[in-house]
Amino acid sequence: MEISAQSFTIISGNSPFLISAPHVHIHRRPTLTCVYKSEEKFTDGICIDICKGTGASGIYLNKDVEYDPNFFKLKDNEYKQAVKDLIRNNKTKMFLDIHGLSDIYQYDIAIYYPSHFARSKKMAQELKKHFEKGKFKGISVNIFRIPDNDQKTLCMFTASKLRVPSLQIEIAWYIREDDELRDLFVKSISSFFNSY
């Protein structure tokens, strides 16, 4: 069941996972210039399909907003507040934040885990294995550590403040725009969750 509230839509699930797609629409990054960031297309569909395949709960942006759901602090961020409420109310055991990967990078999928969180790092290593088979075998999947700095992304926030293993995953455009590859991506993520 999907529920729209403010600038986001919530998907009710029955498993202890939460999937997020905070940059589906244009959003404003909190910088001195306050520039608008372009949308990361198809990340909402990926979120929805993973939820269908795993019974996970989900949340995704449903319109253009004047804030960045991934960066603004909790008090100025209704999306982050909703993530906090969903995790607490659903006893979430794992959080996955879906993003689009910029074309400037020379790899296909990036998996980020927050510094100092061994369970998140282990989760990143396990998830990578699910992309290294079938038609995805041979694609470039990189794991990166999110530095422990003042940047309170959703992944850092859920791990540090809510103590939930968390990952941010970024997907190349060519995977997101292609129906078959997007479906393979969703199946890889679903098999990862279903193995837990």
Side-chain angles (χ1 to χ4, degrees), residues 1 6 23 46 74 89 99 110 117 132 142 154 159 172 181 196:
M1 176 174 75
Q6 307 296 323
H23 289 163
I46 290 169
L74 188 65
N89 294 338
H99 291 264
F117 292 92
E132 295 175 331
N142 291 333
L154 285 161
L181 293 177
Y196 265 79

Side-chain angles (χ1 to χ4, degrees), residues 6 12 31 34 49 51-52 58-59 67 75-76 78 80 95 106 113 115 121 132 144 147 154 176 182 186 188-189 192:
Q6 307 296 323
S12 298
T31 62
C34 284
D49 289 344
C51 290
K52 284 180 187 171
I59 180 171
Y67 70 101
K75 67 182 178 70
D76 300 317
E78 65 182 1
K80 193 174 276 185
F95 175 75
Q106 299 298 311
Y113 70 92
S115 297
K121 182 178 181 181
E132 295 175 331
F144 299 104
L154 285 161
R176 286 181 285 134
R182 196 169 57 246
V186 167
S188 296
I189 295 276
F192 165 68

Side-chain angles (χ1 to χ4, degrees), residues 61-165:
L61 206 61
N62 61 26
K63 66 179 182 180
D64 296 350
V65 291
E66 293 293 323
Y67 70 101
D68 185 335
N70 200 41
F71 283 92
F72 272 65
K73 295 190 184 303
L74 188 65
K75 67 182 178 70
D76 300 317
N77 191 335
E78 65 182 1
Y79 190 99
K80 193 174 276 185
Q81 183 63 56
V83 166
K84 177 184 171 187
D85 293 343
L86 284 165
I87 285 175
R88 289 199 167 152
N89 294 338
N90 297 340
K91 298 181 177 147
T92 301
K93 294 182 179 175
M94 194 181 301
F95 175 75
L96 183 66
D97 203 29
I98 306 284
H99 291 264
L101 182 64
S102 171
D103 290 340
I104 65 170
Y105 298 108
Q106 299 298 311
Y107 41 85
D108 305 302
I109 295 172
I111 304 170
Y112 291 87
Y113 70 92
S115 297
H116 312 300
F117 292 92
R119 289 189 302 160
S120 293
K121 182 178 181 181
K122 183 179 179 196
M123 203 167 86
Q125 293 164 338
E126 288 298 317
L127 176 56
K128 183 179 179 186
K129 292 176 188 173
H130 286 265
F131 290 120
E132 295 175 331
K133 38 179 122 165
K135 286 194 177 181
F136 273 158
K137 190 170 187 168
I139 67 168
S140 177
V141 180
N142 291 333
I143 297 176
F144 299 104
R145 179 181 61 84
I146 300 173
D148 192 8
N149 57 24
D150 220 18
Q151 235 180 50
K152 287 298 177 197
T153 63
L154 285 161
C155 187
M156 286 295 290
F157 171 74
T158 53
S160 63
K161 299 295 184 192
L162 304 176
R163 313 309 289 176
V164 172

